[in-house]
Amino acid sequence: PGTYPLHDITVSPLTSGPGKPLNEELSSPTVVEGTMVSERNFGMVEVSGPRLNRVLKLTVHNAKGDQLWNKEFKASELK
């Protein structure tokens, strides 16, 4: 309470095999729906915008480079 939201992303190396999520991971209330990927993938982090109004963009792609999902976080949302 009284702090900004904390986000965590876990992405394995592209050269590792895909893992299978545990049942408790799939049903965890902290997992954002649509972000669990169980195929070979890689993540990208992009920071853009002016100094006082930055935006963090997280994007996950499959091994072919197709975008699987993305999420943006604005600095203003972290206050």
Side-chain angles (χ1 to χ4, degrees):
T3 63
Y4 61 84
L6 181 63
H7 301 276
D8 176 39
I9 182 171
T10 303
V11 179
S12 297
L14 182 59
T15 56
S16 69
K20 293 187 177 17
L22 303 172
N23 286 337
E24 57 265 19
E25 291 175 318
L26 293 173
S27 61
S28 172
T30 60
V31 174
V32 176
E33 187 175 337
T35 63
M36 181 71 74
V37 177
S38 58
E39 64 179 286
R40 200 167 285 213
N41 66 85
F42 65 95
M44 296 180 66
V45 177
E46 178 183 344
V47 179
S48 62
R51 187 175 70 84
L52 298 177
N53 198 23
R54 298 267 195 246
V55 176
L56 172 69
K57 181 178 179 182
L58 302 174
T59 307
V60 173
H61 300 265
N62 65 17
K64 294 178 184 176
D66 301 324
Q67 181 178 303
L68 300 175
W69 63 264
N70 73 58
K71 177 81 175 152
E72 291 188 0
F73 301 92
K74 297 178 181 173
S76 60
E77 296 172 347
L78 302 177
K79 297 180 180 173

